[in-house]
């Protein structure tokens, strides 16, 4: 069985654990750096990106997470997680783990009262993905090796670059597990049988 | 493509994103920045922190919109603000200003002693205080998207928050372990809406997140509430009434994340300076107990 971690410093950890467990993988909430070693893939959950980043620094996760990505191990970031993955952020903000060639704008749809849900098609996953956007970011620009999997009203909301998958919305808040299944398949295809 | 705003999933989901985090009371932009820098997941914009409201007496109302605006412009994390219980217009004003979450709060003087707000009418989500499963489920039925313990605000004394969290957790366990035919009687006895109790039984927890509030004064207090089952922590007077707010705020954030790492909590509790002075609950007269407000 493959091991998938959920970075458990802050945010909607429990929901990701539940959604991944439905795909018959071992799920590990990650609170300590040593736990990264046993993982085949990792999820950056939704939450507050500034809070998560502070805790990443505080507990010396920064370099180990960069190394994890450098080994081309799959990472899936939702909402704040996607912000952590971006190599560029709008508005003179320093990037965080910076593993994906995407430029992300935080809170791009507005404040909480503008948060919404919608049904949208995601390439290779489904035509009717249940998407909950909460103070969501958008992917403003993507590099040449990045594949755009979904747009909403002309804005990029799901993108993939090799083993990295970034998503503006929160698949973990719905009963629709197809985004998680897709990521689990990405992880499976990366794991070389021993 | 069609957007649906203000749905249960959008409102409750916002609170889910705050889990494992600390929400801090602030009264100006400078404090808001300290809170954000320390790793707060949201700030509560107020005119006065609860201990000052307690000291000032008189009628406590929604904050001056200038303060809310100032705080909103200072940070990128979500901003919450309080309205009086039942004050429809204060709530609408805060919603119109783009506040991300409204606390219908017993810390302010109630505007209505009979009715709480019908929160389903709003696009903005609400958090409400509760002491037991009855209060929690009534607020959820009215549309609250997040619950917090009432505790006893502005006292720096954790005892009431502990009482309320223990009460809610033990009642949730009771409901979960009950057979379905017992639930209606339990609903009658506790004044809990039947459908919300059924939902608790099916899912093993409240349908919304449940934070601790009302008396958290130290990192160990925050960790204690997490251990008792809180999803996160509100800190009101505790931070900016301490000697070193920035350090205090960071320590509370870390203790909340690593609430079972006692060596770490020891380490980050060192040299914090004095916590707020605090009030022994038994010295509070009935009329000064904010938790009695609302029903």
């Amino acid at each position: 069985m493959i091991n998938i971690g959920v970075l458990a410093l802050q945010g909607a950890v429990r929901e990701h654990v539940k959604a991944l467990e439905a795909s018959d993988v071992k799920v590990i909430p990650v609170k300590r750096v040593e736990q990264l070693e046993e993982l085949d893939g990792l999820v950056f959950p939704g939450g507050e990106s500034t809070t998560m980043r502070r805790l990443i620094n505080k507990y010396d996760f920064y370099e180990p997470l960069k190394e994890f990505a450098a080994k081309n191990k799959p990472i899936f970031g939702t909402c704040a997680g996607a912000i952590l993955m971006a190599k560029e952020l709008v508005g003179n903000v320093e990037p965080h783990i910076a593993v994906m060639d995407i430029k992300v704008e935080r809170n791009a749809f507005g404040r909480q009262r503008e948060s919404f849900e919608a049904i949208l098609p995601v390439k290779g996953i489904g035509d009717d993905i249940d998407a909950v956007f909460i103070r969501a970011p958008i992917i403003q620009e993507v590099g040449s090796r990045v594949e755009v999997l979904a747009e909403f009203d002309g804005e990029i909301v799901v993108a993939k670059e090799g083993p990295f998958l970034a998503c503006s919305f929160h698949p973990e808040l719905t009963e629709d597990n197809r985004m998680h299944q897709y990521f689990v398949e990405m992880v499976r295809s990366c794991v070389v049988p021993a | 493509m069609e957007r649906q705003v203000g749905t249960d999933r959008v409102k409750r989901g916002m609170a889910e994103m705050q889990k494992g985090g600390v929400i801090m009371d602030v009264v100006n932009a400078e404090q808001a920045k300290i809170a954000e820098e320390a790793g707060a997941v949201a700030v509560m914009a107020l005119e006065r922190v609860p201990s000052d409201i307690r000291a000032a007496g008189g009628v406590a109302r929604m904050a001056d919109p200038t303060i809310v605006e100032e705080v909103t412009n200072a940070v990128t994390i979500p901003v919450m603000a309080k309205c009086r219980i039942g004050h429809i217009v204060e709530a609408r004003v805060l919603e119109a200003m783009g506040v991300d979450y409204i606390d219908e709060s017993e810390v302010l003087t109630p505007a209505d002693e009979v009715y709480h707000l019908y929160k389903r009418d709003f696009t903005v989500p609400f958090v409400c205080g509760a002491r037991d499963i009855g209060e929690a489920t009534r607020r959820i039925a009215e549309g609250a998207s997040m619950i917090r313990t009432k505790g006893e605000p502005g006292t720096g004394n954790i005892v009431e928050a502990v009482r309320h969290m223990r009460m809610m957790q033990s009642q949730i366990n009771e409901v979960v372990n009950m057979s379905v035919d017992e639930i209606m009687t339990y609903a009658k006895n506790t004044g809990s809406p039947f459908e919300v109790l059924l939902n608790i039984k099916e899912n093993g927890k409240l349908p919304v997140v449940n934070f601790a509030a009302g008396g958290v004064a130290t990192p160990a207090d925050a960790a204690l509430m997490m251990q008792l089952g809180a999803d996160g922590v509100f800190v009101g007077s505790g931070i900016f009434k301490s000697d070193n707010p920035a350090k205090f705020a960071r320590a509370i954030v870390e203790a909340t994340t690593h609430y079972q790492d006692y060596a770490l909590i020891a380490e980050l509790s060192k040299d914090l300076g004095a916590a707020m002075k605090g009030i022994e609950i038994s010295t509070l007269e009935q009329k000064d107990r904010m938790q009695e407000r609302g029903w």
Side-chain angles (χ1 to χ4, degrees), chain A residues 87-191:
Chain A
K87 282 190 178 162
E88 200 180 342
L89 298 175
V90 173
N92 274 331
V93 190
E94 283 297 305
H96 301 297
I97 311 303
V99 297
M100 260 183 99
D101 196 6
I102 54 176
K103 181 177 181 180
V104 168
E105 181 184 2
R106 300 180 58 198
N107 299 339
F109 292 100
R111 305 196 66 87
Q112 172 59 21
R113 65 178 173 192
E114 278 88 40
S115 294
F116 62 95
E117 54 181 86
I119 303 288
L120 54 89
V122 181
K123 208 163 110 190
I125 303 182
D127 290 335
D128 52 352
I129 300 291
D130 201 359
V132 180
F133 291 83
I134 295 174
R135 288 169 44 91
I138 54 165
I139 302 167
Q140 249 189 17
E141 292 168 23
V142 297
S144 56
R145 292 185 317 277
V146 179
E147 191 187 356
V148 173
L149 299 188
E151 292 186 16
F152 182 84
D153 280 357
E155 309 286 2
I156 301 168
V157 294
V158 183
K160 179 175 180 285
E161 179 181 5
F164 308 127
L165 180 64
C167 172
S168 293
F169 54 86
H170 292 283
E172 74 276 16
L173 290 181
T174 70
E175 302 295 312
D176 187 342
N177 289 333
R178 285 175 289 175
M179 293 290 294
H180 287 89
Q181 281 164 12
Y182 182 82
F183 178 64
V184 168
E185 287 314 312
M186 281 171 61
V187 178
R188 285 211 168 104
S189 68
C190 283
V191 176

Side-chain angles (χ1 to χ4, degrees), chain A residues 1-121:
Chain A
M1 194 184 275
I2 58 170
N3 296 332
I4 298 186
V6 180
L7 190 65
L9 297 174
Q10 189 271 318
V13 176
R14 187 169 63 208
E15 290 70 16
H16 273 293
V17 171
K18 194 167 159 250
L20 288 165
E21 278 174 348
S23 293
D24 199 27
V25 295
K26 187 175 174 207
V27 189
I28 300 161
V30 176
K31 282 204 168 200
R32 296 186 319 272
V33 170
E34 316 83 87
Q35 293 174 295
L36 292 174
E37 283 168 30
E38 52 183 322
L39 302 180
D40 303 302
L42 180 61
V43 171
F44 292 164
E48 286 305 321
S49 60
T50 44
T51 308
M52 281 193 233
R53 175 57 195 276
R54 230 202 76 74
L55 293 167
I56 283 170
N57 288 4
K58 180 72 195 176
Y59 298 111
D60 301 319
F61 265 102
Y62 184 76
E63 285 302 327
L65 288 176
K66 298 274 281 186
E67 283 163 26
F68 189 90
K71 286 182 213 154
N72 276 324
K73 290 199 175 183
I75 300 177
F76 178 23
T78 62
C79 194
I83 296 170
L84 295 181
M85 294 170 81
K87 282 190 178 162
E88 200 180 342
L89 298 175
V90 173
N92 274 331
V93 190
E94 283 297 305
H96 301 297
I97 311 303
V99 297
M100 260 183 99
D101 196 6
I102 54 176
K103 181 177 181 180
V104 168
E105 181 184 2
R106 300 180 58 198
N107 299 339
F109 292 100
R111 305 196 66 87
Q112 172 59 21
R113 65 178 173 192
E114 278 88 40
S115 294
F116 62 95
E117 54 181 86
I119 303 288
L120 54 89

